[in-house]
Amino acid sequence: TLSTGFDVSTASFSQSFSVSSQESSPTGIAFNTNGTKMFITGSNGDEVNEYSLSTGFNVSTASFTTNFSVSAQDTSPQDIAFSTDGTLMFIVGSTGGDVNEYILSTGFDVSTASFVDSFSVSAQEANPKSIAFNTTGTKMFIVGNLGDAVNEYTLSTGYDVSTATYS
């Protein structure tokens, strides 16, 4: 819990939830907009694990629901991001050096996901570990183990990695 919003110096431990039954080395986390779904990636699995939270953003109320394999694109997914409406999902991993884009026919439901496209970031970061977007999806940010930089990309069409260029 943060007593002052977005100020980590005011943080105090609140609760935890073990995901070890699905992923023994979690590295990435994302939530849907109201916090009733949580998504975990990790370096020991090759899937996205989805959890349902009966109380939004309260991980003590989480329960595992399903997973989605990304092994055809990356066997060690490190982080996950979604478009605002949850109909697009993005995975970076340590074996591909790229961003993998998936379409979800139902927003924030990984059981409806299918692979769309990938975008290589290996010229700037061969071992990407984390991904983030601005709210419109026209800016993408990548960090990793090999570089010491935040890499920025511009997407001419929001959340469409096929339109990304390094900034």
Side-chain angles (χ1 to χ4, degrees):
T1 303
L2 282 68
S3 58
T4 302
F6 296 99
D7 184 351
V8 294
S9 70
T10 68
S12 61
F13 177 76
S14 177
Q15 56 206 336
S16 65
F17 173 77
S18 176
V19 297
S20 61
S21 295
Q22 292 78 41
E23 176 56 61
S24 60
S25 186
T27 56
I29 186 170
F31 289 88
N32 67 348
T33 52
N34 66 5
T36 57
K37 286 194 174 184
M38 177 176 70
F39 306 88
I40 300 289
T41 57
S43 58
N44 287 334
D46 58 2
E47 72 270 337
V48 175
N49 296 293
E50 180 181 310
Y51 302 82
S52 175
L53 285 72
S54 57
T55 302
F57 297 106
N58 183 338
V59 297
S60 70
T61 69
S63 60
F64 175 73
T65 54
T66 191
N67 63 27
F68 174 74
S69 175
V70 296
S71 62
Q73 291 77 44
D74 202 298
T75 57
S76 186
Q78 297 296 298
D79 199 16
I80 182 171
F82 287 91
S83 61
T84 308
D85 65 0
T87 58
L88 295 170
M89 177 176 73
F90 305 88
I91 303 290
V92 294
S94 58
T95 57
D98 55 11
V99 176
N100 297 295
E101 179 181 339
Y102 303 82
I103 190 165
L104 286 71
S105 57
T106 302
F108 297 107
D109 181 351
V110 298
S111 70
T112 68
S114 58
F115 177 70
V116 175
D117 202 358
S118 64
F119 175 76
S120 177
V121 296
S122 61
Q124 294 79 40
E125 178 55 65
N127 193 2
K129 294 293 185 182
S130 191
I131 183 172
F133 288 89
N134 68 351
T135 56
T136 60
T138 56
K139 293 285 184 179
M140 178 175 70
F141 306 92
I142 301 288
V143 296
N145 272 1
L146 301 178
D148 58 356
V150 175
N151 298 291
E152 178 182 319
Y153 302 83
T154 300
L155 287 72
S156 58
T157 302
Y159 295 110
D160 182 350
V161 297
S162 70
T163 69
T165 55
Y166 177 67
S167 299

